[in-house]
Amino acid sequence: MKDASAPLRSIVALPLTPEGFAPFGDVVSAGLKSGASANQGTAVRFDWSARLENGRPGAKPNLAVFRSVPQPLPFTVKLLEHHPQSSQAFLPMRCSRFLVCVAPTAPSGGPDLEGLVAFVCGPGQGVNYHRGVWHHPIVALDTPAEFAMLAWEDGSAEDCVVRQFSTQVSVIVGD
């Protein structure tokens, strides 16, 4: 008899790349495309770094700050969330590494756990989840972290839909 608390399976988190993350959103980082000189030549500006989306005229942009306590590996995914009407960006302000877990949408509308993938994000990398993408809340690795988060919210249930599940997926980080 299978132990009900045993993980469904283990997956290995891959290094975050724009190509690998593309089905779920955007990698936000300087230098991924050409930039333009800015600030009298003291900086380079990289425009249109993410597809920001809002499906509700009454929702307002919410720029929040998250402080995240590091979690040990392997990490167990027990729930996923999505934002049906808004993209959601996480931009590290102080962080060594963090874990991103994402899944496609199943025909039922919930997350497809068989398609769950994980990425390890390094310094200088942020993510922007496209509208409706199932993902785990942000997970700091190694050290405490702080993130700026941007999403459009109006206080309704459509701001964030969470699905917990009885089966679990263990995430490990490869070498």
Side-chain angles (χ1 to χ4, degrees):
M1 175 180 233
K2 187 175 178 180
D3 179 1
S5 65
L8 173 66
R9 69 181 201 287
S10 287
I11 61 172
V12 177
L14 305 170
L16 181 69
T17 65
E19 299 79 20
F21 194 67
F24 308 103
D26 311 297
V27 174
V28 182
S29 184
L32 294 177
K33 50 187 167 180
S34 57
S37 180
N39 301 342
Q40 294 80 44
T42 63
V44 177
R45 178 178 167 153
F46 302 93
D47 287 317
W48 311 111
S49 295
R51 187 175 86 201
L52 304 176
E53 303 169 285
N54 172 30
R56 297 174 291 178
K60 297 178 184 174
N62 180 9
L63 181 61
V65 175
F66 280 67
R67 183 170 286 149
S68 186
V69 177
Q71 299 300 303
L73 293 169
F75 181 78
T76 302
V77 176
K78 301 174 187 173
L79 62 85
L80 293 173
E81 67 182 42
H82 79 154
H83 311 279
Q85 299 296 326
S86 175
S87 56
Q88 184 183 43
F90 279 96
L91 308 170
M93 297 175 9
R94 182 177 66 126
C95 183
S96 61
R97 297 185 310 159
F98 64 103
L99 184 66
V100 169
C101 302
V102 289
T105 300
S108 66
D112 175 3
L113 294 182
E114 291 301 317
L116 183 76
V117 293
F119 299 95
V120 176
C121 309
Q125 291 182 310
V127 295
N128 178 58
Y129 301 112
H130 288 170
R131 181 173 142 181
V133 167
W134 288 98
H135 61 277
H136 192 277
I138 207 76
V139 178
L141 300 173
D142 310 321
T143 61
E146 293 179 359
F147 299 88
M149 184 282 300
L150 176 64
W152 280 259
E153 298 178 338
D154 66 1
S156 73
E158 292 253 303
D159 283 349
C160 183
V161 175
V162 177
R163 293 275 172 89
Q164 294 184 319
F165 28 89
S166 56
T167 55
Q168 300 172 2
V169 179
S170 177
V171 180
I172 58 176
V173 174
D175 296 326

